PDB file of all heavy atoms in Angstrom:
ATOM      1  N   ALA A 192      -3.633   8.183  12.644  1.00  0.00           N
ATOM      2  CA  ALA A 192      -3.351   9.548  12.414  1.00  0.00           C
ATOM      3  C   ALA A 192      -4.337  10.394  11.707  1.00  0.00           C
ATOM      4  O   ALA A 192      -4.710  11.526  11.992  1.00  0.00           O
ATOM      5  CB  ALA A 192      -1.888   9.695  11.659  1.00  0.00           C
ATOM      6  N   MET A 193      -4.826   9.825  10.557  1.00  0.00           N
ATOM      7  CA  MET A 193      -5.810  10.517   9.787  1.00  0.00           C
ATOM      8  C   MET A 193      -7.104  10.848  10.411  1.00  0.00           C
ATOM      9  O   MET A 193      -7.613  12.003  10.257  1.00  0.00           O
ATOM     10  CB  MET A 193      -6.063   9.805   8.377  1.00  0.00           C
ATOM     11  CG  MET A 193      -5.020   9.957   7.278  1.00  0.00           C
ATOM     12  SD  MET A 193      -5.340   8.993   5.828  1.00  0.00           S
ATOM     13  CE  MET A 193      -6.828   9.778   5.174  1.00  0.00           C
ATOM     14  N   VAL A 194      -7.567  10.001  11.330  1.00  0.00           N
ATOM     15  CA  VAL A 194      -8.824  10.292  12.032  1.00  0.00           C
ATOM     16  C   VAL A 194      -8.699  11.536  12.805  1.00  0.00           C
ATOM     17  O   VAL A 194      -9.533  12.493  12.583  1.00  0.00           O
ATOM     18  CB  VAL A 194      -9.279   9.067  12.871  1.00  0.00           C
ATOM     19  CG1 VAL A 194     -10.277   9.405  13.888  1.00  0.00           C
ATOM     20  CG2 VAL A 194      -9.712   7.909  11.997  1.00  0.00           C
ATOM     21  N   PRO A 195      -7.710  11.690  13.731  1.00  0.00           N
ATOM     22  CA  PRO A 195      -7.735  13.028  14.431  1.00  0.00           C
ATOM     23  C   PRO A 195      -7.250  14.169  13.556  1.00  0.00           C
ATOM     24  O   PRO A 195      -7.842  15.297  13.808  1.00  0.00           O
ATOM     25  CB  PRO A 195      -6.652  12.728  15.510  1.00  0.00           C
ATOM     26  CG  PRO A 195      -5.907  11.613  15.138  1.00  0.00           C
ATOM     27  CD  PRO A 195      -6.862  10.779  14.293  1.00  0.00           C
ATOM     28  N   LEU A 196      -6.388  13.966  12.630  1.00  0.00           N
ATOM     29  CA  LEU A 196      -6.009  14.995  11.749  1.00  0.00           C
ATOM     30  C   LEU A 196      -7.217  15.559  11.027  1.00  0.00           C
ATOM     31  O   LEU A 196      -7.286  16.832  10.784  1.00  0.00           O
ATOM     32  CB  LEU A 196      -4.989  14.549  10.578  1.00  0.00           C
ATOM     33  CG  LEU A 196      -3.512  14.400  11.135  1.00  0.00           C
ATOM     34  CD1 LEU A 196      -2.663  13.496  10.119  1.00  0.00           C
ATOM     35  CD2 LEU A 196      -2.804  15.740  11.500  1.00  0.00           C
ATOM     36  N   ASN A 197      -8.128  14.827  10.611  1.00  0.00           N
ATOM     37  CA  ASN A 197      -9.332  15.227   9.979  1.00  0.00           C
ATOM     38  C   ASN A 197     -10.407  15.806  10.821  1.00  0.00           C
ATOM     39  O   ASN A 197     -11.150  16.745  10.596  1.00  0.00           O
ATOM     40  CB  ASN A 197      -9.914  14.162   9.095  1.00  0.00           C
ATOM     41  CG  ASN A 197      -9.198  14.077   7.680  1.00  0.00           C
ATOM     42  OD1 ASN A 197      -9.660  14.628   6.698  1.00  0.00           O
ATOM     43  ND2 ASN A 197      -8.151  13.241   7.751  1.00  0.00           N
ATOM     44  N   PHE A 198     -10.625  15.099  11.978  1.00  0.00           N
ATOM     45  CA  PHE A 198     -11.767  15.284  12.730  1.00  0.00           C
ATOM     46  C   PHE A 198     -11.700  15.790  14.187  1.00  0.00           C
ATOM     47  O   PHE A 198     -12.671  16.146  14.955  1.00  0.00           O
ATOM     48  CB  PHE A 198     -12.686  14.023  12.698  1.00  0.00           C
ATOM     49  CG  PHE A 198     -13.228  13.674  11.361  1.00  0.00           C
ATOM     50  CD1 PHE A 198     -12.748  12.536  10.690  1.00  0.00           C
ATOM     51  CD2 PHE A 198     -14.191  14.545  10.732  1.00  0.00           C
ATOM     52  CE1 PHE A 198     -13.207  12.281   9.428  1.00  0.00           C
ATOM     53  CE2 PHE A 198     -14.582  14.217   9.377  1.00  0.00           C
ATOM     54  CZ  PHE A 198     -14.111  13.137   8.799  1.00  0.00           C
ATOM     55  N   ILE A 222      -2.676  15.682  18.339  1.00  0.00           N
ATOM     56  CA  ILE A 222      -3.488  16.569  17.581  1.00  0.00           C
ATOM     57  C   ILE A 222      -4.330  17.459  18.482  1.00  0.00           C
ATOM     58  O   ILE A 222      -4.587  18.572  18.271  1.00  0.00           O
ATOM     59  CB  ILE A 222      -4.411  15.874  16.531  1.00  0.00           C
ATOM     60  CG1 ILE A 222      -3.563  14.789  15.647  1.00  0.00           C
ATOM     61  CG2 ILE A 222      -5.101  16.885  15.663  1.00  0.00           C
ATOM     62  CD1 ILE A 222      -2.440  15.370  14.941  1.00  0.00           C
ATOM     63  N   ALA A 324     -14.731  17.747   8.353  1.00  0.00           N
ATOM     64  CA  ALA A 324     -13.309  17.458   8.087  1.00  0.00           C
ATOM     65  C   ALA A 324     -12.449  18.674   7.760  1.00  0.00           C
ATOM     66  O   ALA A 324     -12.881  19.561   7.125  1.00  0.00           O
ATOM     67  CB  ALA A 324     -13.194  16.537   6.858  1.00  0.00           C
ATOM     68  N   LYS A 325     -11.245  18.765   8.385  1.00  0.00           N
ATOM     69  CA  LYS A 325     -10.375  19.842   8.242  1.00  0.00           C
ATOM     70  C   LYS A 325      -9.866  19.838   6.881  1.00  0.00           C
ATOM     71  O   LYS A 325      -9.575  18.789   6.222  1.00  0.00           O
ATOM     72  CB  LYS A 325      -9.181  19.801   9.146  1.00  0.00           C
ATOM     73  CG  LYS A 325      -9.546  19.891  10.639  1.00  0.00           C
ATOM     74  CD  LYS A 325      -8.408  19.762  11.501  1.00  0.00           C
ATOM     75  CE  LYS A 325      -8.666  19.183  12.831  1.00  0.00           C
ATOM     76  NZ  LYS A 325      -7.523  18.805  13.556  1.00  0.00           N
ATOM     77  N   GLN A 326      -9.744  21.034   6.187  1.00  0.00           N
ATOM     78  CA  GLN A 326      -9.226  21.089   4.770  1.00  0.00           C
ATOM     79  C   GLN A 326      -7.846  21.815   4.771  1.00  0.00           C
ATOM     80  O   GLN A 326      -7.486  22.227   3.625  1.00  0.00           O
ATOM     81  CB  GLN A 326     -10.295  21.666   3.821  1.00  0.00           C
ATOM     82  CG  GLN A 326     -11.451  20.801   3.757  1.00  0.00           C
ATOM     83  CD  GLN A 326     -12.570  21.177   2.814  1.00  0.00           C
ATOM     84  OE1 GLN A 326     -12.249  21.952   1.801  1.00  0.00           O
ATOM     85  NE2 GLN A 326     -13.758  20.789   3.082  1.00  0.00           N
ATOM     86  N   SER A 327      -7.284  22.015   5.914  1.00  0.00           N
ATOM     87  CA  SER A 327      -5.903  22.658   5.847  1.00  0.00           C
ATOM     88  C   SER A 327      -4.852  21.720   5.869  1.00  0.00           C
ATOM     89  O   SER A 327      -3.638  22.126   5.786  1.00  0.00           O
ATOM     90  CB  SER A 327      -5.923  23.550   7.198  1.00  0.00           C
ATOM     91  OG  SER A 327      -6.255  22.745   8.246  1.00  0.00           O
ATOM     92  N   ILE A 328      -5.120  20.459   6.195  1.00  0.00           N
ATOM     93  CA  ILE A 328      -3.982  19.439   6.287  1.00  0.00           C
ATOM     94  C   ILE A 328      -3.560  18.937   4.947  1.00  0.00           C
ATOM     95  O   ILE A 328      -4.196  19.287   3.873  1.00  0.00           O
ATOM     96  CB  ILE A 328      -4.438  18.219   7.143  1.00  0.00           C
ATOM     97  CG1 ILE A 328      -5.720  17.513   6.529  1.00  0.00           C
ATOM     98  CG2 ILE A 328      -4.720  18.675   8.587  1.00  0.00           C
ATOM     99  CD1 ILE A 328      -6.072  16.216   7.232  1.00  0.00           C
ATOM    100  N   SER A 329      -2.473  18.228   4.847  1.00  0.00           N
ATOM    101  CA  SER A 329      -1.878  17.698   3.578  1.00  0.00           C
ATOM    102  C   SER A 329      -3.000  16.985   2.836  1.00  0.00           C
ATOM    103  O   SER A 329      -3.786  16.233   3.326  1.00  0.00           O
ATOM    104  CB  SER A 329      -0.849  16.614   3.890  1.00  0.00           C
ATOM    105  OG  SER A 329       0.227  17.361   4.562  1.00  0.00           O
ATOM    106  N   THR A 330      -2.961  17.274   1.496  1.00  0.00           N
ATOM    107  CA  THR A 330      -4.032  16.841   0.592  1.00  0.00           C
ATOM    108  C   THR A 330      -4.348  15.323   0.604  1.00  0.00           C
ATOM    109  O   THR A 330      -5.554  14.876   0.750  1.00  0.00           O
ATOM    110  CB  THR A 330      -3.667  17.161  -0.843  1.00  0.00           C
ATOM    111  OG1 THR A 330      -3.289  18.487  -0.909  1.00  0.00           O
ATOM    112  CG2 THR A 330      -4.873  16.983  -1.690  1.00  0.00           C
ATOM    113  N   ILE A 331      -3.271  14.536   0.744  1.00  0.00           N
ATOM    114  CA  ILE A 331      -3.475  13.085   0.710  1.00  0.00           C
ATOM    115  C   ILE A 331      -3.917  12.577   2.002  1.00  0.00           C
ATOM    116  O   ILE A 331      -4.381  11.419   2.081  1.00  0.00           O
ATOM    117  CB  ILE A 331      -2.103  12.352   0.397  1.00  0.00           C
ATOM    118  CG1 ILE A 331      -2.422  10.897  -0.095  1.00  0.00           C
ATOM    119  CG2 ILE A 331      -0.963  12.479   1.373  1.00  0.00           C
ATOM    120  CD1 ILE A 331      -1.482  10.334  -0.945  1.00  0.00           C
ATOM    121  N   LEU A 332      -3.793  13.420   3.091  1.00  0.00           N
ATOM    122  CA  LEU A 332      -4.237  12.963   4.404  1.00  0.00           C
ATOM    123  C   LEU A 332      -5.747  13.282   4.598  1.00  0.00           C
ATOM    124  O   LEU A 332      -6.358  12.896   5.649  1.00  0.00           O
ATOM    125  CB  LEU A 332      -3.408  13.577   5.517  1.00  0.00           C
ATOM    126  CG  LEU A 332      -1.897  13.133   5.409  1.00  0.00           C
ATOM    127  CD1 LEU A 332      -1.111  13.939   6.583  1.00  0.00           C
ATOM    128  CD2 LEU A 332      -1.762  11.604   5.572  1.00  0.00           C
ATOM    129  N   GLN A 333      -6.361  13.995   3.707  1.00  0.00           N
ATOM    130  CA  GLN A 333      -7.787  14.418   3.865  1.00  0.00           C
ATOM    131  C   GLN A 333      -8.682  13.234   3.248  1.00  0.00           C
ATOM    132  O   GLN A 333      -8.500  12.906   2.033  1.00  0.00           O
ATOM    133  CB  GLN A 333      -8.055  15.692   3.085  1.00  0.00           C
ATOM    134  CG  GLN A 333      -7.302  16.870   3.548  1.00  0.00           C
ATOM    135  CD  GLN A 333      -7.669  18.148   2.912  1.00  0.00           C
ATOM    136  OE1 GLN A 333      -8.855  18.349   2.394  1.00  0.00           O
ATOM    137  NE2 GLN A 333      -6.732  19.063   2.769  1.00  0.00           N
ATOM    138  N   TYR A 334      -9.533  12.803   3.969  1.00  0.00           N
ATOM    139  CA  TYR A 334     -10.512  11.851   3.508  1.00  0.00           C
ATOM    140  C   TYR A 334     -11.240  12.362   2.251  1.00  0.00           C
ATOM    141  O   TYR A 334     -11.559  11.689   1.313  1.00  0.00           O
ATOM    142  CB  TYR A 334     -11.541  11.368   4.595  1.00  0.00           C
ATOM    143  CG  TYR A 334     -10.988  10.526   5.702  1.00  0.00           C
ATOM    144  CD1 TYR A 334     -10.716  11.184   6.896  1.00  0.00           C
ATOM    145  CD2 TYR A 334     -10.581   9.297   5.448  1.00  0.00           C
ATOM    146  CE1 TYR A 334     -10.199  10.399   7.917  1.00  0.00           C
ATOM    147  CE2 TYR A 334      -9.929   8.538   6.402  1.00  0.00           C
ATOM    148  CZ  TYR A 334      -9.761   9.106   7.727  1.00  0.00           C
ATOM    149  OH  TYR A 334      -9.241   8.290   8.628  1.00  0.00           O
ATOM    150  N   LYS A 335     -11.589  13.664   2.372  1.00  0.00           N
ATOM    151  CA  LYS A 335     -12.276  14.404   1.231  1.00  0.00           C
ATOM    152  C   LYS A 335     -11.643  14.149  -0.205  1.00  0.00           C
ATOM    153  O   LYS A 335     -12.218  14.039  -1.175  1.00  0.00           O
ATOM    154  CB  LYS A 335     -12.490  15.761   1.559  1.00  0.00           C
ATOM    155  CG  LYS A 335     -13.423  16.607   0.638  1.00  0.00           C
ATOM    156  CD  LYS A 335     -13.648  18.007   1.092  1.00  0.00           C
ATOM    157  CE  LYS A 335     -14.212  18.886  -0.100  1.00  0.00           C
ATOM    158  NZ  LYS A 335     -15.302  18.264  -0.801  1.00  0.00           N
ATOM    159  N   THR A 336     -10.348  14.247  -0.033  1.00  0.00           N
ATOM    160  CA  THR A 336      -9.500  14.085  -1.297  1.00  0.00           C
ATOM    161  C   THR A 336      -9.986  12.774  -2.060  1.00  0.00           C
ATOM    162  O   THR A 336     -10.081  12.777  -3.227  1.00  0.00           O
ATOM    163  CB  THR A 336      -8.052  14.137  -0.926  1.00  0.00           C
ATOM    164  OG1 THR A 336      -7.718  15.391  -0.346  1.00  0.00           O
ATOM    165  CG2 THR A 336      -7.199  13.902  -2.179  1.00  0.00           C
TER     166      THR A 336
ATOM    167  N   ALA B 109       3.938  14.935   0.918  1.00  0.00           N
ATOM    168  CA  ALA B 109       3.547  15.414   2.162  1.00  0.00           C
ATOM    169  C   ALA B 109       4.577  15.137   3.277  1.00  0.00           C
ATOM    170  O   ALA B 109       4.984  16.008   4.073  1.00  0.00           O
ATOM    171  CB  ALA B 109       2.195  14.866   2.672  1.00  0.00           C
ATOM    172  N   LEU B 113       6.666  17.714   5.958  1.00  0.00           N
ATOM    173  CA  LEU B 113       6.385  17.497   7.235  1.00  0.00           C
ATOM    174  C   LEU B 113       7.605  17.159   8.092  1.00  0.00           C
ATOM    175  O   LEU B 113       7.662  17.569   9.316  1.00  0.00           O
ATOM    176  CB  LEU B 113       5.297  16.324   7.368  1.00  0.00           C
ATOM    177  CG  LEU B 113       3.880  16.689   6.941  1.00  0.00           C
ATOM    178  CD1 LEU B 113       3.076  15.555   6.772  1.00  0.00           C
ATOM    179  CD2 LEU B 113       3.194  17.663   8.007  1.00  0.00           C
ATOM    180  N   LYS B 134       2.815  22.107  -3.909  1.00  0.00           N
ATOM    181  CA  LYS B 134       1.502  22.472  -3.227  1.00  0.00           C
ATOM    182  C   LYS B 134       1.567  21.863  -1.751  1.00  0.00           C
ATOM    183  O   LYS B 134       1.169  22.639  -0.882  1.00  0.00           O
ATOM    184  CB  LYS B 134       0.374  21.891  -4.131  1.00  0.00           C
ATOM    185  CG  LYS B 134      -0.906  22.164  -3.451  1.00  0.00           C
ATOM    186  CD  LYS B 134      -2.062  21.353  -4.150  1.00  0.00           C
ATOM    187  CE  LYS B 134      -3.348  21.341  -3.270  1.00  0.00           C
ATOM    188  NZ  LYS B 134      -4.202  20.225  -3.572  1.00  0.00           N
ATOM    189  N   GLU B 135       2.013  20.753  -1.664  1.00  0.00           N
ATOM    190  CA  GLU B 135       2.080  20.136  -0.359  1.00  0.00           C
ATOM    191  C   GLU B 135       3.091  20.810   0.635  1.00  0.00           C
ATOM    192  O   GLU B 135       2.785  21.035   1.783  1.00  0.00           O
ATOM    193  CB  GLU B 135       2.370  18.655  -0.334  1.00  0.00           C
ATOM    194  CG  GLU B 135       1.373  17.871  -1.073  1.00  0.00           C
ATOM    195  CD  GLU B 135      -0.123  18.069  -0.689  1.00  0.00           C
ATOM    196  OE1 GLU B 135      -0.395  18.014   0.570  1.00  0.00           O
ATOM    197  OE2 GLU B 135      -0.974  18.361  -1.489  1.00  0.00           O
ATOM    198  N   LEU B 138       1.847  23.981   2.219  1.00  0.00           N
ATOM    199  CA  LEU B 138       0.964  23.881   3.414  1.00  0.00           C
ATOM    200  C   LEU B 138       1.754  23.853   4.676  1.00  0.00           C
ATOM    201  O   LEU B 138       1.244  24.061   5.686  1.00  0.00           O
ATOM    202  CB  LEU B 138       0.112  22.602   3.346  1.00  0.00           C
ATOM    203  CG  LEU B 138      -0.808  22.433   2.092  1.00  0.00           C
ATOM    204  CD1 LEU B 138      -1.457  21.068   2.030  1.00  0.00           C
ATOM    205  CD2 LEU B 138      -2.009  23.478   2.317  1.00  0.00           C
ATOM    206  N   ILE B 139       3.086  23.566   4.483  1.00  0.00           N
ATOM    207  CA  ILE B 139       3.958  23.357   5.831  1.00  0.00           C
ATOM    208  C   ILE B 139       4.773  24.583   6.083  1.00  0.00           C
ATOM    209  O   ILE B 139       5.143  24.869   7.136  1.00  0.00           O
ATOM    210  CB  ILE B 139       4.713  22.118   5.564  1.00  0.00           C
ATOM    211  CG1 ILE B 139       3.994  20.857   5.208  1.00  0.00           C
ATOM    212  CG2 ILE B 139       5.560  21.869   6.855  1.00  0.00           C
ATOM    213  CD1 ILE B 139       2.832  20.506   6.127  1.00  0.00           C
ATOM    214  N   LEU B 249       4.041   9.269  10.081  1.00  0.00           N
ATOM    215  CA  LEU B 249       4.555  10.163   9.094  1.00  0.00           C
ATOM    216  C   LEU B 249       6.035  10.564   9.230  1.00  0.00           C
ATOM    217  O   LEU B 249       6.516  11.263   8.404  1.00  0.00           O
ATOM    218  CB  LEU B 249       3.642  11.389   9.020  1.00  0.00           C
ATOM    219  CG  LEU B 249       2.132  11.121   8.737  1.00  0.00           C
ATOM    220  CD1 LEU B 249       1.300  12.502   8.898  1.00  0.00           C
ATOM    221  CD2 LEU B 249       1.991  10.539   7.391  1.00  0.00           C
TER     222      LEU B 249
END
Side-chain angles (χ1 to χ4, degrees):
Chain A
M193 279 178 67
V194 163
L196 282 167
N197 278 266
F198 295 111
I222 311 300
K325 294 180 213 170
Q326 293 183 28
S327 52
I328 60 173
S329 298
T330 310
I331 194 155
L332 299 175
Q333 294 184 38
Y334 290 109
K335 183 173 163 52
T336 299
Chain B
L113 282 166
K134 180 187 164 207
E135 297 310 311
L138 293 172
I139 311 299
L249 299 176

